Each structure stands twice: as structure tokens, then as C-alpha cells.
């Protein structure tokens, strides 16, 4: 006799119901840091977005949204989004529209 049968014996008029766990919504605690960098990239300017606390799938989704909206190239590595060119203001606006807080670092 398993636990379910024992509970049916104890509570005969109880009807079993299906239960689904509510999906937990991810919430970014710290603001995303948006900074400009040329060093170590053969003089080519890039915009870095650091400090993302979610999983890699969400990071890729955000990166793709930024790249397609601006029509420029980029990548994501080790929790950092790398976007070609100095586009900090535009990227910060896109992230704000997605519901993320951002912080501009550097000039």
C-alpha cells in the first residue's frame, strides 16, 4: 500500500487535483554595466554589456534582440555581450525597454 492509497483511506471524500508549479520569474538584482572598449581588440571599438545574472539562453536572447534592432554584429562570451562599435546609448535604451536597469561606465 503506497502513500496515495493510505491518504485515500484517511480522506475518502477528497478529490485529487493536478498541481503545476508556477514558473519562477527571473529578476536582475544589479544593473547591467554598459561600457566602451578599444584596448586589446586591434583598435576596433566595441560596447560590452556585463553583469547579467541569468542563464545563457536569456543572454543569447538579449544579445540577438540588440543585434537585430541595431543591425550590427556581436557575440556573447562568459556572460558578457560584445557589440561592435560605440553604441552605448542605443543599447542602454533597448535594455531599458526590455525592463533591465543599466549603468554607463566610462566617457
Amino acid at each position: 500500500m503506497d502513500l496515495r492509497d493510505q491518504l485515500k483511506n484517511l480522506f475518502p471524500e477528497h478529490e485529487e487535483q493536478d498541481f503545476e508549479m508556477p514558473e519562477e520569474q527571473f529578476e536582475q538584482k544589479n544593473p547591467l554595466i554598459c561600457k566602451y572598449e578599444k584596448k586589446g581588440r586591434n583598435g576596433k571599438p566595441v560596447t560590452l554589456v556585463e553583469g547579467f545574472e541569468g542563464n545563457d539562453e536569456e543572454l543569447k536572447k538579449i544579445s540577438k534582440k540588440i543585434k537585430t534592432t541595431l543591425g550590427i554584429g556581436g557575440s556573447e562570451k562568459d556572460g558578457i555581450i560584445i557589440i561592435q562599435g560605440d553604441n552605448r546609448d542605443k543599447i542602454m535604451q533597448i535594455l531599458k525597454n526590455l525592463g533591465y536597469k543599466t549603468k554607463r561606465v566610462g566617457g
Side-chain angles (χ1 to χ4, degrees):
M1 185 180 261
D2 66 344
L3 182 62
R4 200 169 279 210
D5 293 333
Q6 292 175 8
L7 287 172
K8 281 182 183 177
N9 289 338
L10 288 173
F11 305 102
E13 49 291 325
H14 177 73
E15 292 180 22
E16 256 186 78
Q17 299 174 356
D18 289 334
F19 178 76
E20 289 184 21
M21 288 293 290
E23 287 204 22
E24 189 173 313
Q25 287 289 338
F26 168 73
E27 191 172 316
Q28 181 82 20
K29 292 178 178 66
N30 297 321
L32 296 174
I33 298 170
C34 194
K35 64 183 181 179
Y36 173 73
E37 189 175 277
K38 275 168 81 170
K39 191 172 160 186
R41 300 180 190 281
N42 295 328
K44 294 187 170 126
V46 294
T47 303
L48 302 175
V49 179
E50 300 177 338
F52 187 73
E53 299 168 355
N55 58 17
D56 287 339
E57 289 178 26
E58 281 292 318
L59 184 73
K60 287 182 181 182
K61 193 185 298 181
I62 292 169
S63 175
K64 183 171 176 97
K65 174 73 173 170
I66 293 170
K67 291 186 289 186
T68 55
T69 303
L70 298 178
I72 53 179
S75 64
E76 52 283 326
K77 282 186 197 172
D78 304 326
I80 299 173
I81 299 173
I82 304 167
I83 303 294
Q84 295 174 351
D86 184 10
N87 297 293
R88 285 178 285 183
D89 296 329
K90 295 174 187 173
I91 291 171
M92 288 173 68
Q93 186 61 44
I94 292 168
L95 291 171
K96 184 179 177 185
N97 292 342
L98 291 173
Y100 292 98
K101 294 179 186 171
T102 58
K103 186 176 182 180
R104 183 181 174 127
V105 175

